[in-house]
Amino acid sequence: MKTKLKIILFLLITLFLTSNIQSQTNTTNSNSNPEKDKILVYILRNILTRSHFVVKEMNDEFSEYVFHEFINGIDPNKRYFTKRDIKNFEKYKYDIDNQLLREDLSFYNLVYDQFTRKINNAKSYYVDLLAEPFNYNKKEAINIDYDKVSFAKNENQLIDYWRKQLKLSVLIRVQDKLKKVDKNKTEKQRKINFKKLEKEARSEVLKSMNELYERIEELENEDWFSTFLNTIVSAFDPHTTYMAPNMKERFDQDMSGKLEGIGARLQRKGINTQVFKLVSGGPAWKQGELEAGDIILAVAQGNKEPLDIVGMRLDDAIKFIKGKKGTEVRLTVKKKLDGSTKIISIIRDIVELDETFVKSSIVEKNGKKYGLINLPKFYIDFDEKSYRDSAKDMEKEIERLKKEGVSGLIIDLRNNGGGSLKTAIEISGLFIKKGPIVQIKYRGEAPIVKYDTNEKIQWDGAVIVLVNEFSASASEIFAAAMQDYNRAIIIGGNQTYGKGTVQSVLPINQFTKYEENLGALKMTIQKFYRINGGSTQIEGVYSDIAIPSRYSYMKFGERDLEGALIWDKVNQVDYIPTKSYENFSEVVYNSKQRIASDSKFKLINEYAKWLKKNQDNTSYSLNYGAFSEENLLQEKEAERFKTVFDYESDLNFTSPEYELSLQKKDTVLADKRLSWYKNLSKDVYVDEALNVLSELKLTTSNNISKK
């Protein structure tokens, strides 16, 4: 259960990280490259104005947008700039568009130089403020909705902003600590405890801030300039982004579900690079000597001289550790367990990020077996056509489940943010004979219909598609196609995310002879439309059966993004819905009745309203007495929802036959599956999906898109 204290702490951590990491992507300009920066501005400007889905003029309105977004983006918590600074910046407020047309970075340089001076003061601010106890008897409050907070009038007010934010951080920690103190202590003992715990809390906040600024100092000019470029490109729409070279590499890995390296997740620990986690089945995991918690001191490429990476920024250290398949890396490691130092040799290989891939489970209900397939992402490998992609994996998984004798399928797309449109179309085709799946439209052109042309139906049985408010993009294309063809019942939140735009990733170096890697532009070039003509943009896909969730009343989704493209529609294409189910309407009605009368779902709905109320409440007292009372009231309210997600079904989820032998060889995989199956048995949404699936009756003809 998240109490108000935990919610506030999360918000503060998020705000600190957002404010500092987004803004301070470099504290020195020693790595700046004016020629490269101007080339990037020139190319991005030309690509966007000529090829973006939205026709947008670079005018005064555009300039004003970039002005406000850039300043608010680097200082969202109003902790660096004053009104005097803003007034100084305003001489360029309506001239940024003109500057960009001539590759003039005067506005960027002015803001950056002033920010550099301001950021250098930050450490002295928080160090001095945390040196002594705050006045906890003072009646004052803080509003952490910084969009509603103006910039400080002067430096004194700026320091006061810092004081309030740090004071809130300390109060949260003190409150958490006091909960663990014996309530039977006398008032005098409580006061002594408060002083002691308050001092501990200030020390912890100071340590946290110091660690944060250590990470900030790692960031380089390329990171910083990326922030400015992203402000410019986001003026076209929120999904158009500039990706610096390292971000482009991560994007490719995410889409393909693989990388080449040792298979270890690394993190910064002080001045060291520490192993956070090993990827199951990866080279380091197979080699067996490297463990989570180990510190990597040096890196050698084969038998070459080792390179000391202590104090090196994390991204740079990772570059030396990663490498091509078949090459050797020798890591000098300080072991976590005994502090000993040893050299570990690892042969790099392809690392599959298995949490990205399709996985399935079998469950029995009312004497019948059903299959649940989890698809976390519509992945594809752009580099090797023979390598796995989500469509091929889905086809294999369905075939395996058919051999197990399952009577119906649940396709779980919850939290699936999308991915490859190609695989979304191919996966849709697994459930129909053939036909149109989606329409896509370039600016100023007629829609293009994308078809499934393969007449083979991989699965002609009953289908449930499970979605939530984070199911987006390609997930919505698949869900919409299944809904339009009447092939599946869509179950989940009221509506999906609502991202109905298509982005293309353009390597910038293809437009120039400049030798250094310039990264890529992920640009919106098309818009999705359902085969019934409606866009998935903003609206998403409305569930046939809407189930309350913690997100039911929260503000997020495409409809809440500034600058999101509008919903519209085009002509419906010629398609014939299937007649898959005899009792579609009856089953939907029965489920809605169950949900409406179920005490568990009623409680979830009340919980969602409570979370919304907390989200809207952004003002907190900094008087200790009032702060404690607020949180005591909050905890009493939270107690009501203590068991909101406590649910235990009698369902037993198991692995498909083919995976059992794999789990015997891979104990990590076995543990992951065991944990997943345990969570499925506690998942009230899966349980209701199975209720619906078990009631569905296929039509005798089972006419699935026969033309």
Side-chain angles (χ1 to χ4, degrees):
M1 172 59 62
K2 286 187 179 179
T3 64
K4 187 174 183 180
L5 283 178
K6 291 180 180 178
I7 292 170
I8 300 172
L9 183 59
F10 171 77
L11 287 171
L12 277 175
I13 292 170
T14 303
L15 288 167
F16 273 124
L17 289 174
T18 301
S19 173
N20 288 287
I21 292 180
Q22 281 187 346
S23 59
Q24 176 46 15
T25 45
N26 184 28
T27 54
T28 68
N29 210 14
S30 59
N31 295 315
S32 64
N33 185 335
E35 180 189 3
K36 176 183 174 183
D37 294 346
K38 289 181 179 182
I39 289 172
L40 276 167
V41 168
Y42 174 81
I43 294 174
L44 291 176
R45 183 193 74 215
N46 279 282
I47 296 173
L48 288 165
T49 53
R50 295 176 183 179
S51 304
H52 193 279
F53 186 85
V54 174
V55 179
K56 184 180 283 286
E57 290 185 36
M58 297 181 73
N59 53 21
D60 286 355
E61 183 182 352
F62 176 91
S63 183
E64 186 178 15
Y65 171 88
V66 174
F67 177 86
H68 288 297
E69 288 299 306
F70 182 52
I71 292 171
N72 290 329
I74 66 173
D75 190 14
N77 295 0
K78 309 293 195 293
R79 295 195 290 117
Y80 298 113
F81 295 136
T82 64
K83 288 185 176 179
R84 183 177 178 181
D85 295 320
I86 303 303
K87 188 174 182 180
N88 187 30
F89 302 152
E90 281 181 342
K91 62 187 175 184
Y92 293 133
K93 188 173 183 178
Y94 299 106
D95 191 45
I96 299 170
D97 56 319
N98 299 317
Q99 290 183 10
L100 294 175
L101 290 172
R102 54 180 189 268
E103 294 85 57
D104 179 357
L105 300 175
S106 296
F107 168 69
Y108 158 69
N109 289 327
L110 175 66
V111 176
Y112 174 79
D113 290 343
Q114 181 65 350
F115 183 81
T116 302
R117 288 191 286 271
K118 294 285 185 171
I119 202 75
N120 289 333
N121 296 330
K123 192 164 187 176
S124 65
Y125 289 164
Y126 73 74
V127 170
D128 291 345
L129 288 166
L130 291 168
E132 299 292 336
F134 295 101
N135 180 359
Y136 299 103
N137 295 319
K138 186 176 181 179
K139 291 184 178 180
E140 59 179 349
I142 184 172
N143 187 348
I144 61 172
D145 183 357
Y146 293 101
D147 288 337
K148 298 177 181 177
V149 177
S150 61
F151 285 96
K153 296 177 183 177
N154 49 45
E155 292 295 323
N156 288 335
Q157 190 177 47
L158 188 68
I159 293 172
D160 199 54
Y161 282 8
W162 273 91
R163 180 187 65 81
K164 286 185 174 182
Q165 291 181 28
L166 293 168
K167 184 179 178 182
L168 181 58
S169 294
V170 173
L171 269 173
I172 291 168
R173 290 177 183 267
V174 170
Q175 193 73 8
D176 276 340
K177 290 174 182 292
L178 283 170
K179 287 178 185 176
K180 301 172 185 176
V181 175
D182 186 358
K183 295 180 180 179
N184 296 321
K185 289 188 180 293
T186 65
E187 187 64 27
K188 182 178 180 181
Q189 289 173 321
R190 288 197 195 101
K191 286 182 178 179
I192 294 172
N193 275 325
F194 179 86
K195 289 181 180 179
K196 176 175 176 286
L197 298 177
E198 191 275 344
K199 185 176 181 180
E200 288 179 7
R202 277 187 290 112
S203 177
E204 290 170 3
V205 173
L206 178 62
K207 181 183 178 185
S208 176
M209 293 299 294
N210 283 334
E211 290 176 349
L212 175 62
Y213 274 81
E214 283 178 8
R215 294 195 295 274
I216 288 169
E217 289 169 0
E218 286 189 341
L219 300 170
E220 295 180 343
N221 182 71
E222 181 178 73
D223 306 310
W224 164 249
F225 193 62
S226 294
T227 303
F228 179 64
L229 293 178
N230 270 298
T231 305
I232 296 169
V233 303
S234 69
F236 285 80
D237 88 302
H239 298 294
T240 295
T241 57
Y242 166 70
M243 294 187 288
N246 59 335
M247 292 304 296
K248 172 62 166 59
E249 185 178 357
R250 291 173 192 169
F251 174 81
D252 290 342
Q253 291 169 5
D254 188 39
M255 287 297 291
S256 66
K258 74 176 183 72
L259 56 85
E260 288 181 291
I262 66 170
R265 301 191 185 281
L266 308 176
Q267 65 181 5
R268 185 74 168 162
K269 191 72 172 178
I271 62 171
N272 293 311
T273 297
Q274 184 182 55
V275 178
F276 173 66
K277 182 182 179 182
L278 298 182
V279 178
S280 175
W285 179 85
K286 290 177 180 176
Q287 198 269 354
E289 293 184 78
L290 193 67
E291 299 171 289
D294 290 351
I295 300 292
I296 302 176
L297 304 174
V299 181
Q301 309 304 321
N303 58 7
K304 294 182 179 179
E305 282 294 312
L307 174 69
D308 185 355
I309 64 168
V310 175
M312 184 180 290
R313 67 192 296 265
L314 183 60
D315 279 355
D316 289 336
I318 290 172
K319 288 177 184 176
F320 291 111
I321 295 169
K322 285 169 56 180
K324 293 292 183 182
K325 174 183 177 180
T327 59
E328 180 192 20
V329 61
R330 296 180 185 177
L331 307 177
T332 303
V333 172
K334 182 179 180 181
K335 298 296 293 178
K336 176 188 177 181
L337 291 178
D338 59 9
S340 63
T341 301
K342 67 183 301 185
I343 296 175
I344 299 175
S345 172
I346 301 172
I347 303 300
R348 299 177 178 109
D349 203 347
I350 299 293
V351 182
E352 291 187 354
L353 308 176
D354 60 318
E355 64 269 25
T356 299
F357 299 136
V358 167
K359 59 184 176 183
S360 71
S361 178
I362 296 169
V363 62
E364 189 171 313
K365 187 178 181 69
N366 298 334
K368 290 186 177 181
K369 290 167 71 175
Y370 299 100
L372 184 147
I373 301 178
N374 178 263
L375 177 61
K377 193 173 186 67
F378 288 84
Y379 51 88
I380 191 169
D381 191 320
F382 293 116
D383 297 322
E384 300 175 32
K385 292 182 180 179
S386 61
Y387 200 72
R388 70 190 297 178
D389 67 57
S390 53
K392 293 176 182 176
D393 287 352
M394 181 69 84
E395 185 176 9
K396 289 177 185 176
E397 209 67 27
I398 292 172
E399 189 61 31
R400 289 161 173 166
L401 291 173
K402 283 166 66 175
K403 291 178 180 178
E404 299 272 357
V406 300
S407 300
L409 292 179
I410 296 174
I411 311 299
D412 191 351
L413 298 182
R414 289 176 296 177
N415 304 313
N416 183 321
S420 163
L421 174 63
K422 176 179 179 291
T423 60
I425 294 170
E426 291 174 353
I427 290 173
S428 299
L430 299 176
F431 300 92
I432 65 170
K433 189 173 182 182
K434 65 177 180 179
I437 302 297
V438 65
Q439 302 183 73
I440 57 174
K441 185 180 184 299
Y442 290 94
R443 80 178 189 189
E445 296 183 11
I448 301 168
V449 183
K450 295 288 186 179
Y451 290 85
D452 163 49
T453 57
N454 188 343
E455 293 197 5
K456 179 184 177 183
I457 301 170
Q458 188 67 20
W459 178 259
D460 61 1
V463 184
I464 300 293
V465 177
L466 199 54
V467 297
N468 65 3
E469 293 84 350
F470 295 102
S471 303
S473 194
S475 292
E476 295 171 295
I477 294 303
F478 172 73
M482 295 299 96
Q483 191 175 62
D484 290 341
Y485 275 106
N486 294 337
R487 269 302 284 128
I489 293 181
I490 313 301
I491 300 179
N494 184 51
Q495 65 191 108
T496 55
Y497 188 86
K499 182 183 178 293
T501 55
V502 188
Q503 285 71 45
S504 177
V505 178
L506 306 172
I508 294 174
N509 285 80
Q510 69 179 334
F511 302 102
T512 178
K513 294 181 179 179
Y514 192 78
E515 292 185 0
E516 189 176 340
N517 190 349
L518 296 173
L521 176 67
K522 182 160 72 77
M523 180 177 67
T524 299
I525 59 167
Q526 299 167 322
K527 206 170 179 181
F528 287 136
Y529 295 88
R530 299 170 69 142
I531 53 178
N532 70 8
S535 176
T536 55
Q537 176 66 10
I538 299 294
E539 296 291 315
V541 177
Y542 287 94
S543 295
D544 298 309
I545 301 171
I547 307 182
S549 79
R550 72 184 74 198
Y551 310 115
S552 292
Y553 303 100
M554 298 290 236
K555 282 190 71 173
F556 62 85
E558 189 80 8
R559 58 196 175 277
D560 295 310
L561 290 179
E562 185 178 350
L565 304 190
I566 62 170
W567 179 90
D568 62 344
K569 62 186 302 184
V570 296
N571 293 331
Q572 177 175 313
V573 299
D574 182 25
Y575 75 101
I576 302 174
T578 68
K579 297 177 182 177
S580 298
Y581 310 107
E582 289 182 358
N583 59 342
F584 187 99
S585 298
E586 179 188 345
V587 169
V588 169
Y589 175 80
N590 290 343
S591 179
K592 288 181 177 180
Q593 290 296 106
R594 272 195 305 271
I595 292 165
S597 61
D598 191 293
S599 59
K600 173 62 67 176
F601 288 125
K602 286 180 180 178
L603 185 62
I604 292 173
N605 192 53
E606 289 301 311
Y607 179 59
K609 291 179 180 178
W610 182 72
L611 288 176
K612 172 60 176 172
K613 185 182 75 171
N614 287 331
Q615 184 187 50
D616 292 340
N617 178 21
T618 58
S619 181
Y620 304 101
S621 175
L622 294 177
N623 172 277
Y624 175 68
F627 183 81
S628 298
E629 288 178 9
E630 285 177 1
N631 283 283
L632 183 61
L633 177 62
Q634 189 77 5
E635 286 177 9
K636 287 181 179 178
E637 291 180 359
E639 191 67 24
R640 180 185 170 200
F641 304 110
K642 190 174 181 180
T643 61
V644 65
F645 290 110
D646 288 352
Y647 181 77
E648 192 77 54
S649 71
D650 57 0
L651 298 172
N652 182 32
F653 291 84
T654 58
S655 297
E657 185 69 30
Y658 84 93
E659 204 175 63
L660 295 177
S661 59
L662 298 176
Q663 292 181 24
K664 288 180 181 178
K665 299 176 184 177
D666 187 344
T667 56
V668 175
L669 175 64
D671 289 342
K672 285 181 179 179
R673 291 295 185 264
L674 189 63
S675 176
W676 181 43
Y677 301 152
K678 186 177 180 180
N679 288 333
L680 288 176
S681 69
K682 297 178 179 180
D683 193 326
V684 66
Y685 302 99
V686 169
D687 199 11
E688 180 55 27
L690 284 166
N691 287 334
V692 174
L693 189 59
S694 66
E695 292 180 7
L696 276 173
K697 295 179 182 178
L698 296 172
T699 57
T700 306
S701 61
N702 199 14
N703 175 26
I704 300 178
S705 192
K706 292 179 181 177
K707 296 289 182 179

